[in-house]
Amino acid sequence: MTKQRIVAIIGGTGLQEFTGDGVASGTVGGRVTPYGETSSEIVRSQLSDLSCVFLARHGNPHTIAPHKVNYRANIWALKQLGVSDIIAVNAVGGINPAMPAASLVLPDQLIDYSHSREQSFFDGESNPLQHIDFTHPFSASLRSQLLAAAKAVNLPVHDAGVYGVTQGPRLETAAEIKRMAQDGCDVVGMTAMPEAALAREFAINYASLCLVVNPAAGCSEQLITMDDIHKVIAQGMGQVRGLLSQALPVIISDPLN
Ligand code: HPA
Protein backbone atom coordinates (compact mmCIF):
# COMPACT_ATOMS: atom_id res chain seq x y z
CA MET A 1 0.00 0.00 0.00
CA THR A 2 1.33 3.46 -0.83
CA LYS A 3 1.68 5.79 2.10
CA GLN A 4 -0.42 8.94 1.98
CA ARG A 5 1.30 12.31 2.06
CA ILE A 6 0.59 14.51 5.04
CA VAL A 7 0.81 18.13 3.97
CA ALA A 8 1.21 21.02 6.37
CA ILE A 9 0.64 24.68 5.67
CA ILE A 10 2.65 27.07 7.83
CA GLY A 11 0.82 30.36 7.63
CA GLY A 12 2.74 33.60 7.99
CA THR A 13 1.64 37.20 8.47
CA GLY A 14 -1.91 37.52 7.11
CA LEU A 15 -2.65 33.81 7.16
CA GLN A 16 -3.44 32.89 10.77
CA GLU A 17 -5.88 30.15 9.84
CA PHE A 18 -6.61 28.02 6.80
CA THR A 19 -9.16 25.32 6.18
CA GLY A 20 -9.02 25.30 2.37
CA ASP A 21 -12.30 24.16 0.92
CA GLY A 22 -12.73 21.87 3.88
CA VAL A 23 -13.71 22.17 7.50
CA ALA A 24 -11.47 22.34 10.57
CA SER A 25 -11.81 19.01 12.34
CA GLY A 26 -9.95 19.83 15.54
CA THR A 27 -6.42 20.14 16.78
CA VAL A 28 -3.85 17.38 16.47
CA GLY A 29 -0.82 16.61 18.61
CA GLY A 30 0.25 18.70 21.54
CA ARG A 31 1.99 22.05 21.58
CA VAL A 32 4.72 20.95 23.97
CA THR A 33 7.89 19.54 22.38
CA PRO A 34 11.44 18.82 23.63
CA TYR A 35 12.29 22.27 22.19
CA GLY A 36 9.48 24.19 23.88
CA GLU A 37 6.01 25.15 22.67
CA THR A 38 4.85 25.41 19.08
CA SER A 39 3.68 28.82 17.83
CA SER A 40 0.05 27.70 17.74
CA GLU A 41 -2.16 24.66 17.96
CA ILE A 42 -1.91 22.46 14.89
CA VAL A 43 -5.34 22.30 13.27
CA ARG A 44 -6.49 19.54 10.94
CA SER A 45 -8.75 20.40 8.01
CA GLN A 46 -10.82 17.88 6.14
CA LEU A 47 -10.95 18.40 2.34
CA SER A 48 -13.45 15.78 1.07
CA ASP A 49 -11.64 12.50 1.76
CA LEU A 50 -8.27 14.24 2.14
CA SER A 51 -6.86 16.26 4.99
CA CYS A 52 -4.06 18.70 5.74
CA VAL A 53 -2.75 20.38 8.86
CA PHE A 54 -2.15 24.05 9.56
CA LEU A 55 0.13 25.90 11.95
CA ALA A 56 0.25 29.69 12.45
CA ARG A 57 3.94 30.67 12.53
CA HIS A 58 3.39 33.89 14.45
CA GLY A 59 0.64 32.44 16.67
CA ASN A 60 -3.08 33.02 16.47
CA PRO A 61 -3.57 35.88 17.20
CA HIS A 62 -0.37 37.11 15.58
CA THR A 63 1.96 37.94 18.50
CA ILE A 64 5.28 36.15 17.92
CA ALA A 65 8.02 38.19 16.21
CA PRO A 66 10.02 36.47 13.44
CA HIS A 67 13.19 36.19 15.56
CA LYS A 68 11.21 34.74 18.48
CA VAL A 69 9.38 32.01 16.55
CA ASN A 70 10.24 28.59 17.97
CA TYR A 71 11.11 27.10 14.59
CA ARG A 72 12.48 23.89 16.08
CA ALA A 73 9.33 23.20 18.11
CA ASN A 74 7.15 23.86 15.06
CA ILE A 75 9.06 21.56 12.72
CA TRP A 76 9.52 18.86 15.38
CA ALA A 77 5.76 18.81 16.09
CA LEU A 78 4.96 18.54 12.38
CA LYS A 79 7.46 15.69 11.99
CA GLN A 80 5.82 13.88 14.91
CA LEU A 81 2.53 14.02 13.00
CA GLY A 82 4.20 12.34 10.02
CA VAL A 83 4.17 15.46 7.85
CA SER A 84 5.89 14.76 4.51
CA ASP A 85 5.48 18.18 2.85
CA ILE A 86 5.33 21.74 4.11
CA ILE A 87 4.03 24.70 2.14
CA ALA A 88 5.22 27.78 3.96
CA VAL A 89 3.45 31.05 3.26
CA ASN A 90 5.62 34.14 3.66
CA ALA A 91 4.88 37.85 3.37
CA VAL A 92 7.97 39.50 1.85
CA GLY A 93 9.32 42.77 0.50
CA GLY A 94 10.08 43.00 -3.22
CA ILE A 95 13.64 43.85 -4.27
CA ASN A 96 13.52 42.80 -7.92
CA PRO A 97 11.54 45.50 -9.81
CA ALA A 98 9.76 42.69 -11.67
CA MET A 99 8.22 41.69 -8.32
CA PRO A 100 6.13 44.64 -7.16
CA ALA A 101 3.62 44.54 -4.30
CA ALA A 102 0.91 41.88 -4.75
CA SER A 103 3.24 39.58 -6.78
CA LEU A 104 3.40 35.90 -5.89
CA VAL A 105 6.83 34.26 -5.94
CA LEU A 106 7.99 30.67 -5.50
CA PRO A 107 11.66 31.14 -4.64
CA ASP A 108 14.16 28.49 -5.65
CA GLN A 109 17.08 29.78 -3.58
CA LEU A 110 17.77 31.67 -0.37
CA ILE A 111 20.52 33.61 1.35
CA ASP A 112 20.44 33.63 5.14
CA TYR A 113 21.31 36.97 6.80
CA SER A 114 19.53 36.08 10.04
CA HIS A 115 21.46 35.36 13.21
CA SER A 116 21.16 34.25 16.83
CA ARG A 117 18.38 31.76 16.08
CA GLU A 118 18.33 28.08 17.03
CA GLN A 119 19.29 26.74 13.61
CA SER A 120 19.52 22.99 13.87
CA PHE A 121 18.34 19.74 15.44
CA PHE A 122 21.79 18.28 14.69
CA ASP A 123 23.87 20.73 16.70
CA GLY A 124 25.84 18.21 18.74
CA GLU A 125 23.72 18.95 21.81
CA SER A 126 20.18 17.63 21.34
CA ASN A 127 21.39 15.28 18.56
CA PRO A 128 24.77 14.29 17.09
CA LEU A 129 26.32 16.82 14.71
CA GLN A 130 25.37 16.36 11.06
CA HIS A 131 25.87 18.55 7.98
CA ILE A 132 22.86 18.23 5.69
CA ASP A 133 22.99 18.99 1.97
CA PHE A 134 21.17 22.27 1.37
CA THR A 135 22.25 23.06 -2.20
CA HIS A 136 18.63 23.38 -3.27
CA PRO A 137 16.74 24.60 -0.20
CA PHE A 138 13.25 24.30 -1.69
CA SER A 139 11.56 21.14 -2.99
CA ALA A 140 11.50 21.08 -6.80
CA SER A 141 8.48 18.77 -6.87
CA LEU A 142 6.39 20.87 -4.48
CA ARG A 143 7.32 24.01 -6.40
CA SER A 144 6.29 22.52 -9.71
CA GLN A 145 3.00 21.26 -8.26
CA LEU A 146 2.27 24.74 -6.93
CA LEU A 147 3.18 26.26 -10.29
CA ALA A 148 0.89 23.85 -12.12
CA ALA A 149 -1.94 24.78 -9.73
CA ALA A 150 -1.28 28.48 -10.35
CA LYS A 151 -1.47 27.88 -14.11
CA ALA A 152 -4.73 25.96 -13.70
CA VAL A 153 -6.37 28.92 -11.96
CA ASN A 154 -4.69 31.47 -14.23
CA LEU A 155 -2.72 33.10 -11.45
CA PRO A 156 0.64 34.63 -12.40
CA VAL A 157 3.40 33.34 -10.12
CA HIS A 158 7.15 33.96 -10.49
CA ASP A 159 8.64 30.50 -10.81
CA ALA A 160 12.04 31.32 -9.31
CA GLY A 161 13.76 33.86 -7.11
CA VAL A 162 16.25 34.31 -4.31
CA TYR A 163 14.75 34.89 -0.86
CA GLY A 164 17.04 36.90 1.45
CA VAL A 165 16.26 36.18 5.10
CA THR A 166 16.86 39.05 7.51
CA GLN A 167 16.73 39.06 11.29
CA GLY A 168 14.03 41.69 11.89
CA PRO A 169 11.78 42.61 13.41
CA ARG A 170 12.75 46.00 12.01
CA LEU A 171 12.67 46.40 8.25
CA GLU A 172 15.97 46.93 6.41
CA THR A 173 17.87 50.08 5.56
CA ALA A 174 18.07 51.17 1.92
CA ALA A 175 21.80 50.29 1.93
CA GLU A 176 21.10 46.81 3.25
CA ILE A 177 18.59 46.23 0.47
CA LYS A 178 21.07 47.61 -2.10
CA ARG A 179 23.63 45.10 -0.88
CA MET A 180 21.07 42.31 -0.97
CA ALA A 181 20.17 43.24 -4.55
CA GLN A 182 23.88 43.04 -5.44
CA ASP A 183 23.97 39.62 -3.77
CA GLY A 184 21.19 38.51 -6.11
CA CYS A 185 18.20 38.63 -3.74
CA ASP A 186 14.80 39.12 -5.37
CA VAL A 187 12.68 39.27 -2.23
CA VAL A 188 13.35 39.87 1.46
CA GLY A 189 11.60 38.29 4.40
CA MET A 190 12.34 37.22 7.96
CA THR A 191 11.08 33.68 8.35
CA ALA A 192 12.27 31.20 5.71
CA MET A 193 15.28 30.41 7.88
CA PRO A 194 15.88 28.36 9.88
CA GLU A 195 12.48 26.87 8.97
CA ALA A 196 13.61 25.53 5.57
CA ALA A 197 16.82 24.02 6.94
CA LEU A 198 15.07 22.36 9.89
CA ALA A 199 12.56 20.80 7.50
CA ARG A 200 15.47 19.49 5.39
CA GLU A 201 17.13 18.01 8.49
CA PHE A 202 13.97 15.94 8.99
CA ALA A 203 13.71 15.14 5.24
CA ILE A 204 10.41 17.02 4.90
CA ASN A 205 9.77 18.54 1.46
CA TYR A 206 9.52 22.30 1.87
CA ALA A 207 8.43 25.11 -0.44
CA SER A 208 7.87 28.78 0.28
CA LEU A 209 4.99 30.63 -1.34
CA CYS A 210 5.75 34.33 -1.05
CA LEU A 211 3.36 37.23 -1.30
CA VAL A 212 5.17 40.52 -1.93
CA VAL A 213 3.49 42.97 0.43
CA ASN A 214 5.68 46.06 -0.06
CA PRO A 215 8.58 47.34 -2.16
CA ALA A 216 11.70 46.69 -0.03
CA ALA A 217 13.40 49.65 1.67
CA GLY A 218 14.65 52.22 -0.83
CA CYS A 219 12.93 50.51 -3.79
CA SER A 220 10.17 53.12 -3.90
CA GLU A 221 9.86 56.83 -3.12
CA GLN A 222 7.52 56.09 -0.22
CA LEU A 223 8.36 54.87 3.26
CA ILE A 224 6.95 51.45 4.16
CA THR A 225 3.80 51.62 6.28
CA MET A 226 1.91 48.80 7.98
CA ASP A 227 -1.30 50.29 6.58
CA ASP A 228 -0.09 49.80 3.00
CA ILE A 229 1.14 46.29 3.84
CA HIS A 230 -2.21 45.31 5.34
CA LYS A 231 -4.04 46.50 2.23
CA VAL A 232 -1.92 44.21 0.03
CA ILE A 233 -2.30 41.31 2.46
CA ALA A 234 -6.09 41.65 2.52
CA GLN A 235 -6.25 41.13 -1.22
CA GLY A 236 -3.24 38.90 -1.82
CA MET A 237 -3.95 36.28 0.83
CA GLY A 238 -7.25 35.59 -0.95
CA GLN A 239 -5.20 34.55 -3.97
CA VAL A 240 -2.88 32.48 -1.80
CA ARG A 241 -5.87 30.65 -0.32
CA GLY A 242 -7.27 30.00 -3.80
CA LEU A 243 -3.94 28.65 -5.01
CA LEU A 244 -3.52 26.40 -1.96
CA SER A 245 -7.04 25.02 -2.34
CA GLN A 246 -6.30 24.17 -5.97
CA ALA A 247 -2.88 22.66 -5.24
CA LEU A 248 -3.57 20.68 -2.06
CA PRO A 249 -5.67 17.81 -3.45
CA VAL A 250 -3.04 17.18 -6.16
CA ILE A 251 -0.12 17.31 -3.73
CA ILE A 252 -1.79 15.15 -1.08
CA SER A 253 -2.79 12.53 -3.65
CA ASP A 254 0.71 12.28 -5.14
CA PRO A 255 2.00 8.86 -3.97
CA LEU A 256 4.94 8.87 -1.60
CA ASN A 257 7.86 6.72 -2.81
N1 HPA B 1 11.60 43.17 4.70
C1 HPA B 1 11.66 42.05 5.47
N2 HPA B 1 10.60 41.31 5.74
C2 HPA B 1 9.44 41.67 5.20
C3 HPA B 1 9.31 42.81 4.39
C4 HPA B 1 10.45 43.59 4.12
O1 HPA B 1 10.41 44.62 3.42
N3 HPA B 1 8.00 42.90 4.04
C5 HPA B 1 7.38 41.83 4.60
N4 HPA B 1 8.24 41.09 5.31
Side-chain angles (χ1 to χ4, degrees), residues 91-94 166 170-172 177 188-190 213-217 224 229:
V92 297
T166 54
R170 67 165 177 84
L171 297 171
E172 298 71 33
I177 292 296
V188 54
M190 301 174 189
V213 295
N214 59 279
I224 302 166
I229 288 181

Side-chain angles (χ1 to χ4, degrees), residues 1-189:
M1 214 180 78
T2 52
K3 253 178 91 184
Q4 177 107 55
R5 267 171 210 279
I6 300 180
V7 179
I9 311 290
I10 300 182
T13 303
L15 195 74
Q16 264 81 254
E17 42 80 32
F18 176 80
T19 55
D21 290 334
V23 285
S25 59
T27 58
V28 283
R31 288 188 62 181
V32 179
T33 79
Y35 301 97
E37 272 206 357
T38 59
S39 296
S40 73
E41 307 263 29
I42 300 173
V43 179
R44 184 181 295 282
S45 296
Q46 205 59 39
L47 316 140
S48 306
D49 55 338
L50 305 172
S51 68
C52 70
V53 296
F54 178 84
L55 183 145
R57 182 188 291 116
H58 299 284
N60 188 13
H62 184 299
T63 52
I64 309 170
H67 65 299
K68 296 235 171 114
V69 170
N70 192 338
Y71 296 96
R72 291 201 298 184
N74 290 347
I75 298 297
W76 190 92
L78 295 177
K79 183 68 183 176
Q80 285 304 106
L81 294 174
V83 164
S84 55
D85 298 78
I86 294 174
I87 303 170
V89 177
N90 304 86
V92 297
I95 299 176
N96 183 334
M99 298 174 185
S103 305
L104 290 169
V105 184
L106 274 170
D108 62 334
Q109 276 296 331
L110 64 77
I111 299 177
D112 189 8
Y113 302 89
S114 73
H115 55 82
S116 321
R117 302 180 180 189
E118 290 292 354
Q119 306 255 14
S120 176
F121 294 112
F122 303 144
D123 55 4
E125 289 172 22
S126 57
N127 289 290
L129 179 62
Q130 263 190 64
H131 303 285
I132 49 148
D133 178 85
F134 203 44
T135 310
H136 301 290
F138 301 109
S139 155
S141 61
L142 261 185
R143 291 179 56 256
S144 66
Q145 283 166 322
L146 285 163
L147 277 173
K151 267 211 180 96
V153 291
N154 239 333
L155 191 61
V157 174
H158 291 272
D159 65 0
V162 180
Y163 180 142
V165 189
T166 54
Q167 175 68 358
R170 67 165 177 84
L171 297 171
E172 298 71 33
T173 66
E176 285 168 338
I177 292 296
K178 199 168 162 195
R179 187 186 74 169
M180 290 177 75
Q182 282 161 2
D183 286 353
C185 295
D186 296 296
V187 295
V188 54

